[in-house]
Each structure stands twice: as C-alpha cells, then as structure tokens.
C-alpha cells in the first residue's frame, strides 16, 4: 500500500515493484509469442521503465470494461495495451 503523502512513482521506487495491467492479443502492443512469452511494443516499454527504476514487474490481465473499477481498487499501478480514452 501507498504510504501517507506518497505518490505512485515513489511507491514503485520504495517497493522496487510495479503491477502492470494488460490485455492479451492486442497486436502489436501486447500479445503472447509462439514461446508463450508476453511481448509487444507496450511490454518492451514497461520492461525499460522498470529497469530504469530497478523494479520487478507483475503482469495482471484485465478486461476493458473492468479497468476503471480495477484502477479504483488499486489492482494495478499502470495499464498497457494501447488503451484508448474515449470521452462520454
């Protein structure tokens, strides 16, 4: 959990861990290759980001319709998979 007054980036730096929500099969951003590895443009960016912070990564699959509630519940620190924001 985040400490009082701590922002997300500070939490990641303190814990050395980042939780990443993703959707499988969103080519070329997030998908599983023929070896069963999660790869793609967004995945590569997250690995680079985590390396710069000295953090490990936990990938957590999500369903698009559950993303807002999952974020509100603190299930992930960040979400990837070429997420499009559509104003209502």
């Amino acid at each position: 959990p985040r400490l009082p007054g701590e922002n997300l980036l500070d939490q990641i730096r303190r814990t050395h861990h980042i939780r990443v929500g993703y959707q499988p099969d969103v080519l070329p951003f997030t998908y599983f290759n023929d070896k069963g590895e999660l790869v793609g443009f967004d995945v590569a960016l997250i690995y680079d980001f985590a390396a710069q912070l000295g953090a490990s990564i936990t990938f957590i699959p999500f369903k698009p319709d559950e993303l807002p509630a999952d974020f509100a519940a603190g299930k992930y620190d960040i979400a990837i998979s070429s997420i499009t924001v559509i104003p209502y």
Side-chain angles (χ1 to χ4, degrees), residues 4-87:
E6 183 177 53
N7 65 40
L8 178 58
L9 187 56
D10 289 338
Q11 175 188 332
I12 293 167
R13 286 181 174 141
R14 176 178 53 83
T15 63
H16 302 282
H17 190 77
I18 184 168
R19 297 167 302 147
V20 179
Y22 76 95
Q23 292 181 78
D25 301 321
V26 182
L27 294 160
F29 304 100
T30 52
Y31 62 97
F32 288 93
N33 65 16
D34 58 356
K35 296 177 185 176
E37 302 164 327
L38 183 63
V39 296
F41 182 74
D42 289 5
V43 175
L45 287 174
I46 286 297
Y47 273 115
D48 186 52
F49 178 64
Q52 290 180 38
L53 295 174
S56 60
I57 304 169
T58 297
F59 287 101
I60 304 164
F62 71 83
K63 296 178 183 173
D65 59 329
E66 296 173 357
L67 185 61
D70 287 347
F71 261 121
K75 190 171 181 180
Y76 337 106
D77 300 317
I78 191 169
I80 60 174
S81 300
S82 186
I83 298 168
T84 304
V85 177
I86 301 171

